[in-house]
Amino acid sequence: MPVTDPGVWIVSASVMGGVGALLLALYITRYQGASGARWFRISLVTQAVFCLSYGVSLFVTTPVLREGFEVLTFVSLCWIGPTFLAFALDYTGRGDLLYGPVGAAFAVGGVLATALGVTAPAHELLWPDFQIETVFGLTTVQYSLHPVAIVAFTIGLTAAMLGVVLLFGTVVSYGPLYRREAVAVGLSTAPPTAGLLVWLFGLGPYPEVNFAAALFVPH
């Protein structure tokens, strides 16, 4: 594909998002004892899995294998929000909530989403009309999401938004302390969230393409 082809940019940005997340997770290992560092690292790894698996899947043409990659992107995407919320709770001094009803609720949601995703090829609870489409020369997929899948994504998005609210709450409560870091992390969630919503609701001319992976680059 020519360098100017949109497909090249989609794949490149998706891979860059994954590699960038992995490099940042590796960098954060030097701050092992810092508040939220462990959960932020885990969240970055889930982001990396999502971005890299999605980028690679765009070259996979075998239907069974392509659905396997879609399962991997689904499961990793569902865990980004809960792990980001865990980071925000720990970072803002509310780590004890991780072991209460709040943490349990999002953990259960993630486990159920994982179970549904892993078993998706054997049932029709997530995507009953899974079919391969070609867009920009890439192997994309088209399907309608069942309500249970939408609920799973909604839980993940809700967790991520709660994490952002907690980070901005820290800015308000503690003044200039860590303001730059909290604002940067909070605002950086906007691009991938927008990309995910566009894909989730089938907006725009290319509903088969999930631009969220590419939009994780700024995050």
Side-chain angles (χ1 to χ4, degrees), residues 43-83:
S43 181
L44 286 168
V45 171
T46 61
Q47 293 172 35
V49 172
F50 166 66
C51 292
L52 291 174
S53 60
Y54 186 74
V56 172
S57 73
L58 296 174
F59 293 105
V60 178
T61 58
T62 305
V64 174
L65 189 56
R66 183 63 181 81
E67 187 170 12
F69 270 100
E70 197 67 14
V71 167
L72 185 57
T73 59
F74 172 81
V75 172
S76 56
L77 188 57
C78 286
W79 276 108
I80 292 175
T83 54

Side-chain angles (χ1 to χ4, degrees), residues 14-158:
S14 297
V15 173
M16 284 174 58
V19 172
L22 286 178
L23 290 176
L24 184 54
L26 181 63
Y27 175 79
I28 291 174
T29 55
R30 67 181 63 188
Y31 300 104
Q32 294 283 3
S35 297
R38 179 168 64 94
W39 282 109
F40 192 38
R41 190 165 61 249
I42 294 173
S43 181
L44 286 168
V45 171
T46 61
Q47 293 172 35
V49 172
F50 166 66
C51 292
L52 291 174
S53 60
Y54 186 74
V56 172
S57 73
L58 296 174
F59 293 105
V60 178
T61 58
T62 305
V64 174
L65 189 56
R66 183 63 181 81
E67 187 170 12
F69 270 100
E70 197 67 14
V71 167
L72 185 57
T73 59
F74 172 81
V75 172
S76 56
L77 188 57
C78 286
W79 276 108
I80 292 175
T83 54
F84 185 78
L85 175 60
F87 150 68
L89 287 170
D90 198 18
Y91 182 78
T92 59
R94 300 177 176 89
D96 56 311
L97 294 178
L98 288 171
Y99 307 100
V102 175
F106 286 105
V108 169
V111 170
L112 291 177
T114 301
L116 284 170
V118 171
T119 58
H123 57 69
E124 296 186 346
L125 295 177
L126 293 181
W127 41 68
D129 51 354
F130 189 94
Q131 57 183 355
I132 291 179
E133 302 282 350
T134 300
V135 178
F136 301 130
L138 304 175
T139 308
T140 61
V141 290
Q142 175 73 36
Y143 51 77
S144 57
L145 290 170
H146 266 189
V148 66
I150 295 176
V151 169
F153 283 126
T154 301
I155 291 174
L157 282 173
T158 300

